[in-house]
Amino acid sequence: MNPPKHFAWSDRSLSPDERAEMVIKEMTLDEKIQLLHGLGWQAIFSQPECGPATRTISVLGFIPGIPRLGIPDLQMTDSNQGVSGAGVKGRYATAFPSGEAMASAWDTALSYEIGTQLGHEMRDMGFNMSLGSGINMIREPRDGRTFEYKGEDPLLAGTLAGSELKAEKALHLITDVKHYAVNDQDAGRIVVNSIISKRAMQESDLLAFQIALKDSGAGAVMCSYNKINGIYACENPYTLHDVLTKQFDFKGFVISDWGATQSTVKAAMAGLDVEMPGNDSFGAPLKKAVESGEVPMDRLNDMVRRVLRTEFDSGIVDDPPQPGSPDVMRGFAIAQKTEERGEVLLKNKGSVLPLHAASIQSIAVIGGHADVGVISGGGSSQVSPAGGNPVPPPPALLKDPLASFMLVQVYQRSAPLKGIEAKAPHAVVQFNSGSDPASAAALAGKSQVAIVFAVQHESEGMDLPNLSLPDHQDALIEAVAAANPRTIVVLETGGPVLMPWIDKVAAVVEAWYPGIRGSQAIANLLFGDVNPSGRLPLTFPRSEADLPHPIHLAPPKPDPGHPVPKLAGAPGMVGVMMGIGPFFDVHYDEGLKVGYKWYDAQKKAVLFPFGFGLSYTTFAYSGLTVKPGEPSTVSFTVSNTGSRAGVETAQVYASFPESAGEPPKRLVGWSKVELAPGESKQVSVSVDRDRLSIFNESSNAWELVPGKYVIRVGSSSRDLPLEKQIEF
Ligand code: BGC
């Protein structure tokens, strides 16, 4: 290899801004423009033949660098729950549990470990920019990308994403937070106009980004497809300029979601820096706009500076990725740990769980293709299944690229049946596919325990028609439960589902999309090698009628059997994903009352509340003291009152003075506490002043409202035994 060329800006003692400035001075106009867009859809779909794309490692995201100035190519990959760009080039990547599973762990240290593994894998494959993490608020649980995101609370989602991306950045990658902003449904995502007040946006969706950016120093923000209050997110001066640049003081670059750039001058002047994956707006049209002065040279230089300073700041120039082989075993270990901490025990009547292998003679395992694998989510975050998809899709689906992108249900080869068999070597373990409820019930009836695996596929580009388990699985569960009172339901879902059978089954475990070690993690929970500690990052409502929007406005699901409308310049597949059709408004009148804040404000009962999750032991809370200040300190004692070791997620919520106009409570902090049986620990949670502030639209600033606050502490948003009033 030739030694790297030395340039004046190779001097690492200079700041990223100084280095960027030196490069800009040497650049031609064409070189500047080149850094601000991808190569176009055609380059993506016709590679590797076309031009510079032969250098690409990434199929979807590539920006050629400028070798004469030592500026590297940008090689991007999605990485929400694994390096999804790996598979397209035939490389292996760890299939992590879904974003919701990660969030259910409420574990910043674990998120850092996940980010570290993702970062290593990306570097091993030659990627230098990550297109994760997704942190859109789950205000619409039928959103087909719920599985990718991190729940319904901005503090939880922002903090966890911040930790994950901080780890990636520490490995010298450019990191990205998406999809900015209020992209809270995916069906019709390019024709939907999200209508929401500034305060509501600031205290929900935007806050999650603010926290993630502050904690991680992420270099990029991906603007979304939708409109916000009538203006596309990728050309919205409020969200891009006023909030991101000014209020958040973001120094990195804004990159459009794939095909979400709608204009040249408007977008560039509002704050979009990079068009992806193509050049329709930021290729020749941008050059023209600069030459005509519609986009001043200062702004062009600002766009280029943002990209370059991020390249220096992240370390991709000084420490480019070196090819290597992913550490598969470490990936397995972290994926399994994530699932073991993220799976949530929702019901456990009569302590039917954990199962005691020694005393069980027969187990029926039913449904969900549990004999071959665990389901995963579709779209750009889909990690290629090692060894291929064990559940072959109908051949017709594979003929259509749109269908394979969205509708094919991909299973990771980690069969729960095998994990269960390994735990109970002396029991007769039989599998029934569940396709015929009567035969499944017959097997359940003659088994000591019945474990039903219920799956729900979600994908980018389409929303769920409703929150019910698909394919008659409710009827299957009813039939099995009627035949065996010791029925345990393991859910592999992207988000919340309705459970009309909840009173008839003995136990329910939410395993989300469990990833490549799902089999082991689920079996470890079922047989008690792992004491469940996951807590819901989102509410499970009792019915769709209780949602803020009982009727979900969405264009119909694409049907691969019918012709597909085309978006100009893009293949038909892309057109449909984006939701061609008439524009429609979604009025987010619930505003900042996302998730539990809505159910609390409406005084609605829920199926399972935000923050909820059972353990095989029990915890008690006592001795709350609160020291108001900057930050305030909330101290209390958590005790393990049961007979086995466990981990509690102690949650701190605040109720605001009446005049603040807030929902009944807001999550302001949490702490994970590991306790031996009988052990008690003093816990202290710091609560920043910002967490107790509200966004004042008139002054355009966050403000603490003087008055009485109640700090509440406990094990879920609906179980808060300790409370103390403080005054500011
Ligand atoms: C998705 C993004 C993703 C991009 C590149 C888009 O369809 O919305 O999340 O990063 O594709 O794969």
Side-chain angles (χ1 to χ4, degrees):
M1 244 197 338
N2 296 329
K5 277 205 217 153
H6 191 83
F7 303 92
W9 49 88
S10 303
D11 181 352
R12 297 179 192 193
S13 67
L14 300 172
S15 73
D17 294 292
E18 288 169 322
R19 297 173 75 180
E21 212 49 61
M22 291 165 93
V23 181
I24 290 175
K25 292 210 174 84
E26 301 296 322
M27 291 173 89
T28 65
L29 176 59
D30 285 330
E31 284 170 337
K32 290 178 183 175
I33 301 283
Q34 178 189 324
L35 282 194
L36 304 178
H37 61 79
L39 294 178
W41 291 108
Q42 288 318 318
I44 288 173
F45 287 99
S46 63
Q47 353 168 24
E49 298 80 21
C50 75
T54 48
R55 293 211 303 261
T56 70
I57 292 162
S58 163
V59 167
L60 274 178
F62 175 73
I63 298 183
I66 305 167
R68 82 167 184 97
L69 301 175
I71 300 306
D73 298 338
L74 285 185
Q75 307 274 8
M76 310 172 194
T77 175
D78 286 297
S79 57
N80 243 11
Q81 42 252 313
V83 184
S84 60
V88 281
K89 289 278 184 175
R91 299 282 308 260
Y92 171 84
T94 304
F96 280 92
S98 63
E100 293 302 353
M102 296 174 183
S104 297
W106 294 55
D107 191 334
T108 43
L110 175 65
S111 291
Y112 197 88
E113 270 189 83
I114 294 168
T116 301
Q117 181 66 16
L118 287 170
H120 279 302
E121 291 190 20
M122 281 185 266
R123 283 183 60 93
D124 286 339
M125 295 174 217
F127 295 112
N128 57 9
M129 175 162 175
S130 133
L131 301 173
S133 175
I135 51 167
N136 292 86
M137 290 287 91
I138 307 303
R139 57 169 76 238
E140 171 47 79
R142 288 160 295 198
D143 183 341
R145 300 187 86 167
T146 298
F147 73 98
E148 287 188 53
Y149 298 144
K150 292 190 164 59
E152 65 190 22
D153 183 84
L155 178 61
L156 182 65
T159 305
L160 296 179
S163 184
E164 184 185 312
L165 297 180
K166 189 175 176 190
E168 291 179 16
K169 188 177 176 195
L171 290 174
H172 299 157
L173 288 155
I174 297 181
T175 55
D176 157 71
V177 200
K178 66 188 185 187
H179 307 90
Y180 188 77
V182 208
N183 175 200
D184 296 342
Q185 71 169 66
D186 225 50
R189 59 189 181 181
I190 209 163
V191 284
V192 63
N193 178 22
S194 303
I195 299 185
I196 185 165
S197 78
K198 283 185 181 165
R199 173 172 176 189
M201 226 190 300
Q202 288 272 357
E203 293 194 26
S204 57
D205 302 52
L206 301 187
L207 179 58
F209 282 86
Q210 185 174 18
I211 294 169
L213 288 171
K214 182 162 167 266
D215 289 0
S216 68
V221 167
M222 186 187 290
C223 56
S224 52
Y225 291 107
N226 54 294
K227 291 183 175 186
I228 307 164
N229 295 328
I231 305 174
Y232 274 115
C234 288
E235 56 186 39
N236 194 306
Y238 177 68
T239 48
L240 297 182
H241 178 265
D242 301 359
V243 178
L244 196 55
T245 308
K246 292 286 165 211
Q247 189 186 325
F248 296 177
D249 197 23
F250 175 63
K251 302 265 187 265
F253 62 94
V254 177
I255 181 169
S256 77
D257 201 341
W258 268 226
T261 309
Q262 299 292 342
S263 60
T264 302
V265 177
K266 193 173 174 191
M269 296 315 290
L272 178 64
D273 301 302
V274 174
E275 173 188 12
M276 285 306 285
N279 49 11
D280 292 354
S281 305
F282 279 19
L286 181 60
K287 186 177 177 189
K288 217 169 129 207
V290 173
E291 284 166 344
S292 71
E294 282 177 289
V295 172
M297 187 56 83
D298 272 2
R299 172 58 188 139
L300 183 78
N301 284 341
D302 177 47
M303 294 157 84
V304 176
R305 187 180 303 111
R306 285 171 175 277
V307 173
L308 289 174
R309 66 99 52 206
T310 303
E311 294 190 4
F312 289 117
D313 179 55
S314 62
I316 69 161
V317 181
D318 302 327
D319 179 24
Q322 304 299 326
S325 292
D327 186 339
V328 177
M329 301 316 278
R330 191 180 54 194
F332 275 7
I334 300 174
Q336 181 169 333
K337 193 199 285 187
T338 305
E339 178 62 11
E340 287 175 348
R341 295 187 186 177
E343 51 197 351
V344 186
L345 179 61
L346 294 175
K347 177 173 180 179
N348 193 15
K349 190 170 144 202
S351 297
V352 65
L353 291 175
L355 299 171
H356 300 287
S359 59
I360 298 182
Q361 275 96 46
S362 55
I363 305 175
V365 177
I366 296 164
H369 297 288
D371 55 334
V372 291
V374 289
I375 200 166
S376 56
S380 57
S381 69
Q382 177 80 64
V383 175
S384 176
N389 187 354
V391 180
L397 280 190
L398 289 178
K399 284 199 199 124
D400 182 324
L402 162 68
S404 50
F405 185 77
M406 287 162 52
L407 301 178
V408 168
Q409 308 197 355
V410 174
Y411 283 71
Q412 301 291 345
R413 290 177 180 260
S414 179
L417 177 66
K418 301 225 170 69
I420 292 167
E421 283 170 343
K423 293 284 176 192
H426 307 300
V428 176
V429 182
Q430 282 178 284
F431 180 72
N432 180 291
S433 74
S435 56
D436 171 17
S439 92
L443 175 63
K446 61 181 174 109
S447 307
Q448 263 181 308
V449 178
I451 308 175
V452 186
F453 285 81
V455 298
Q456 173 212 52
H457 182 244
E458 280 185 359
S459 174
E460 174 182 341
M462 61 185 199
D463 287 354
L464 297 168
N466 52 54
L467 292 182
S468 297
L469 283 170
D471 305 326
H472 312 294
Q473 293 178 96
D474 284 337
L476 172 68
I477 296 169
E478 297 265 1
V480 171
N484 190 328
R486 294 181 79 198
T487 292
I488 296 153
V489 178
V490 179
L491 295 165
E492 292 172 21
T493 68
V497 285
L498 305 179
M499 302 182 203
W501 33 261
I502 188 67
D503 295 332
K504 297 174 192 157
V505 302
V508 181
V509 177
E510 176 55 85
W512 311 109
Y513 296 155
I516 192 63
R517 294 287 279 184
S519 166
Q520 293 79 356
I522 292 169
N524 279 343
L525 180 146
L526 294 175
F527 287 87
D529 300 284
V530 160
N531 188 355
S533 61
R535 299 289 185 265
L536 292 179
L538 38 70
T539 308
F540 277 51
R542 290 206 307 186
S543 79
E544 276 158 45
D546 290 340
L547 294 173
H549 304 268
I551 310 237
H552 181 37
L553 290 179
K557 190 167 158 176
D559 175 355
H562 286 87
V564 158
K566 284 199 182 350
L567 179 74
M573 156 191 155
V574 181
V576 166
M577 278 164 49
M578 293 176 180
I580 300 302
F583 283 96
F584 61 99
D585 295 339
V586 175
H587 293 264
Y588 288 124
D589 293 333
E590 77 286 356
L592 59 91
K593 296 196 275 324
V594 179
Y596 64 93
K597 294 168 184 157
W598 163 259
Y599 299 100
D600 284 355
Q602 297 287 310
K603 299 194 173 47
K604 280 184 198 279
V606 297
L607 186 56
F608 296 109
F610 175 82
F612 176 78
L614 298 170
S615 161
Y616 294 149
T617 188
T618 45
F619 301 101
Y621 286 79
S622 59
L624 174 64
T625 60
V626 184
K627 220 166 100 225
E630 179 41 46
S632 297
T633 307
V634 179
S635 307
F636 51 93
T637 300
V638 187
S639 309
N640 182 343
T641 49
S643 55
R644 54 172 295 173
V647 178
E648 170 69 323
T649 300
Q651 299 159 42
V652 181
Y653 295 81
S655 300
F656 285 59
E658 189 75 36
S659 60
E662 284 289 300
K665 61 180 161 318
R666 184 200 281 184
L667 180 73
V668 293
W670 73 91
S671 176
K672 289 194 74 102
V673 199
E674 204 176 332
L675 293 162
E679 192 186 6
S680 292
K681 273 188 190 158
Q682 169 91 1
V683 177
S684 185
V685 175
S686 288
V687 178
D688 286 347
R689 197 181 170 92
D690 286 354
R691 302 286 79 83
L692 298 172
S693 300
I694 65 159
F695 188 80
N696 183 334
E697 281 192 15
S698 334
S699 61
N700 201 33
W702 285 83
E703 283 171 8
L704 189 99
V705 177
K708 295 190 168 84
Y709 289 71
V710 182
I711 301 296
R712 304 176 191 278
V713 176
S715 62
S716 89
S717 63
R718 291 261 167 124
D719 180 10
L720 298 167
L722 306 182
E723 59 176 70
K724 183 135 253 134
Q725 188 173 291
I726 53 169
E727 195 156 354
F728 281 104

